[in-house]
Amino acid sequence: PPQPIIGPPPKSQKYKGVKHTIMVMSGKGGVGKSTVSVNLAVTLANQSLKTGLIDADINGPDDPKMLGADNEKLYAQGDKILPVKTRYGVDLVSMGFILPTEDTAVIWRGALRHKAIQQFLEDVMWGERDYVIIDMPPGTGDEALSVSQLIDADGVVIVVTPQDIALLDAKKAINFANQLKVPVLGIVENMSGFICPHCGQTVDIFKRGGGEKAAEAYGVPFLGRIPLVAELVEKSDQGIPAVVYSEEMRKIFDEIARKVREQVEKK
Ligand code: ADP
Ligand code: MG
């Protein structure tokens, strides 16, 4: 079990020069947090916004691979970490750049994890940034808490899958955000319907609408629905984000980005 952190809780702080930080989280793992984080970040970068991405999922740091940057390394300047420039205009920090091999399991204890996350969050030389997206650790446990305590995020984007359980998952994430007093920017429903690679039609293999129901039930915005796309897995493994090759995905993420920006930038 994670060890308690001794001493006063770390001070919440915002990066100098970073205008907006957005956390992407979920009630559980494997729902598409990284997919949403990466594509949202690329979408913002495509809108000429200076965008950074923090892969804060230190157990499963997938973002370098998803951005075709898994052969890169992190460098330091003085005691600051320099983010890796990816080919999609998004600068990235990830534990994936530090772990010796892809399949090295991270089995550190709580305090050490917290330390690593703290460095990631506090010691990055971002410079001037419009947005930093944080791909959060899965769920609402200790690691997610560590991350959120270190940063005053502008808001949280919650990713759920379409099943009924989405209601419960969304609730967990919303409670978490409420406790931290971070606004919920809305819910994204991922893996919502299936686009047939042969006929191009959307087929419902899972239920649809769990995310939308959750948004309604808890009075938060619904940001959009992302279909299950067969080629996404393969392309994502090749380091090509969906918004780069799919017009449909571009439209969906433009809309998500619009709704996020509308809320965050009006403040
Ligand atoms: P998380 O970061 O929440 O663990 P990921 O974004 O890594 O989730 O997604 C889990 C897996 O599902 C990955 O292999 C990813 O490529 C795949 N995936 C995510 N969203 C979709 C989608 N809309 N269509 C097809 N595959 C998807
Ligand atoms: Mg992930």
Side-chain angles (χ1 to χ4, degrees):
Q3 306 295 305
I5 312 288
I6 314 288
K11 211 172 139 282
S12 184
Q13 66 157 58
K14 214 168 200 135
Y15 299 118
K16 266 192 239 122
V18 176
K19 289 193 190 130
H20 305 292
T21 51
I22 311 285
M23 303 195 282
V24 177
M25 66 175 297
S26 64
K28 62 168 183 234
V31 299
K33 258 186 312 356
S34 298
T35 303
V36 169
S37 302
V38 162
N39 283 286
L40 178 59
V42 173
T43 299
L44 293 170
N46 285 343
Q47 296 175 2
S48 303
L49 296 163
K50 289 204 184 81
T51 306
L53 174 62
I54 297 175
D55 185 1
D57 185 352
I58 69 169
N59 292 304
D62 294 331
D63 296 356
K65 187 158 191 166
M66 288 181 167
L67 285 167
D70 44 340
N71 289 323
E72 304 286 334
K73 285 189 173 53
L74 280 181
Y75 291 93
Q77 186 170 318
D79 54 4
K80 290 280 186 194
I81 298 167
L82 294 174
V84 164
K85 291 192 185 308
T86 70
R87 69 187 71 144
Y88 304 107
V90 171
D91 293 354
L92 172 67
V93 289
S94 170
M95 189 57 80
F97 294 131
I98 295 171
L99 299 175
T101 62
E102 247 177 51
D103 53 2
T104 306
V106 178
I107 42 173
W108 300 335
R109 289 168 9 149
L112 197 52
R113 277 167 193 276
H114 184 84
K115 198 79 207 153
I117 292 171
Q118 190 171 8
Q119 266 212 350
F120 263 23
L121 293 178
E122 294 184 344
D123 298 340
V124 180
M125 195 185 266
W126 284 119
E128 295 294 312
R129 290 285 147 172
D130 296 300
Y131 279 89
V132 169
I133 306 296
I134 308 177
D135 183 2
M136 294 284 288
T140 50
D142 287 347
E143 276 173 55
L145 199 61
S146 296
V147 173
S148 345
Q149 283 172 336
L150 291 165
I151 285 292
D152 280 326
D154 289 59
V156 180
V157 169
I158 295 170
V159 184
V160 299
T161 46
Q163 297 87 339
D164 287 338
I165 192 77
L167 228 60
L168 199 69
D169 293 336
K171 184 70 185 156
K172 272 195 219 163
I174 289 171
N175 284 344
F176 183 87
N178 287 344
Q179 268 166 29
L180 293 160
K181 300 188 170 55
V182 180
V184 175
L185 301 172
I187 293 178
V188 174
E189 180 174 310
N190 187 30
M191 310 193 191
S192 176
F194 173 70
I195 298 188
C196 170
H198 308 293
C199 64
Q201 299 276 320
T202 303
V203 187
D204 286 340
I205 39 167
F206 301 134
K207 277 183 154 175
R208 285 225 270 170
E212 206 161 5
K213 268 189 221 152
E216 227 167 75
Y218 305 125
V220 298
F222 183 64
L223 299 177
R225 140 190 355 264
I226 303 167
L228 194 72
V229 194
E231 68 178 337
L232 191 142
V233 178
E234 194 187 338
K235 284 274 181 28
S236 163
D237 282 349
Q238 293 165 1
I240 313 170
V243 292
V244 172
Y245 60 85
S246 159
E247 180 59 32
E248 193 195 351
M249 287 295 196
R250 209 150 38 228
K251 277 193 197 138
I252 293 169
F253 275 94
D254 278 346
E255 191 59 16
I256 294 173
R258 188 184 65 74
K259 289 178 180 167
V260 165
R261 290 188 61 184
E262 205 175 71
Q263 297 179 68
V264 167
E265 291 173 27
K266 72 165 185 236
K267 279 190 268 175

